[in-house]
Amino acid sequence: MAPTEATILQNYLLLPARLPSIISLEQFTSYFPKSQQSSPQIRALYRDLQQQRNAVVDSVAQNIDSEVKLGRSLRRAVAQARRETEEEEQDDEIDIERNLFGFTSNTILPKKHNLTTILPEMESAANDIEQETRKLEEEEAALLESVKQTVGGMSDLRYGRLANSKLRYEVLEGLNAIQEVCKRKL
């Protein structure tokens, strides 16, 4: 069984937080000078520190309980909102459209799937994504080739030779083509 929010918070915030689990009275006493280690005030100081630490731990425990209750109430509210939206009346136009054309992207799809119905849907979606990826890769290759040709044609600029008198117009055409492709992608 998976740990709950309360279990996780209690295990990591409360269990190791009590003072004796952090430092024992003997260890606490060893931090004082040897001449003071037998003093009863050290024990009183340790007990006072322990009470303060217990108060903090109790406060954290109360906060954990209130957060768990808040989480439960939020889950109930979400579940109730889902039930209410499912119980709302269906639009007559959507029902007519469903009866005429079946389920389309414009209508509300059935919400419940099982293993036999979800697998074909997932395979179809995966195929659609693969086809879209192939199209994008082809467009990318075409754009890359176009950019390489443009850069190759501009090598005259690099060496200061402008043998092509139509270069200006070709560059502008290339830039316009790139802009058109970018506009289509957006």
Side-chain angles (χ1 to χ4, degrees):
M1 185 169 146
T4 63
E5 176 185 9
T7 307
I8 292 170
L9 291 173
Q10 289 169 351
N11 286 342
Y12 292 102
L13 295 177
L14 298 180
L15 293 180
R18 301 283 179 191
L19 189 61
S21 62
I22 297 171
I23 187 170
S24 67
L25 177 60
E26 292 78 28
Q27 291 171 328
F28 184 75
T29 305
S30 69
Y31 290 123
F32 290 93
K34 294 244 186 237
S35 62
Q36 299 295 320
Q37 287 182 359
S38 61
S39 173
Q41 291 179 341
I42 293 176
R43 182 177 294 255
L45 182 62
Y46 182 79
R47 298 290 178 228
D48 183 51
L49 186 59
Q50 191 174 16
Q51 286 176 346
Q52 290 177 19
R53 187 72 180 175
N54 287 343
V56 169
V57 170
D58 291 342
S59 174
V60 170
Q62 288 174 350
N63 289 341
I64 290 172
D65 290 341
S66 65
E67 286 297 319
V68 168
K69 289 176 186 174
L70 178 64
R72 285 185 197 134
S73 66
L74 287 175
R75 281 191 291 279
R76 271 190 245 116
V78 167
Q80 183 177 0
R82 282 187 188 149
R83 282 192 301 269
E84 287 174 0
T85 56
E86 289 173 0
E87 292 172 358
E88 287 179 0
E89 273 188 328
Q90 291 293 327
D91 189 5
D92 291 337
E93 290 180 16
I94 291 176
D95 288 337
I96 293 170
E97 189 174 321
R98 253 192 230 136
N99 290 332
L100 289 174
F101 306 112
F103 288 102
T104 65
S105 62
N106 297 341
T107 61
I108 300 170
L109 296 175
K111 295 190 186 237
K112 296 184 181 178
H113 281 285
N114 59 32
L115 189 58
T116 57
T117 62
I118 195 74
L119 287 176
E121 292 287 331
M122 291 177 70
E123 287 175 5
S124 172
N127 289 337
D128 292 345
I129 290 172
E130 287 173 3
Q131 288 176 0
E132 185 67 27
T133 303
R134 274 188 238 116
K135 286 180 188 176
L136 289 173
E137 287 172 349
E138 290 170 3
E139 286 181 26
E140 175 193 15
L143 281 173
L144 182 61
E145 186 60 33
S146 172
V147 168
K148 284 182 180 178
Q149 288 176 356
T150 303
V151 169
M154 295 177 73
S155 66
D156 292 344
L157 291 175
R158 182 175 186 187
Y159 300 109
R161 292 175 274 154
L162 294 176
N164 186 356
S165 62
K166 299 178 183 176
L167 181 63
R168 177 176 184 233
Y169 302 108
E170 290 175 1
V171 168
L172 290 175
E173 277 182 41
L175 290 174
N176 286 335
I178 290 172
Q179 284 179 337
E180 289 298 319
V181 170
C182 289
K183 286 179 185 176
R184 277 188 266 142
K185 288 223 179 218
L186 296 176

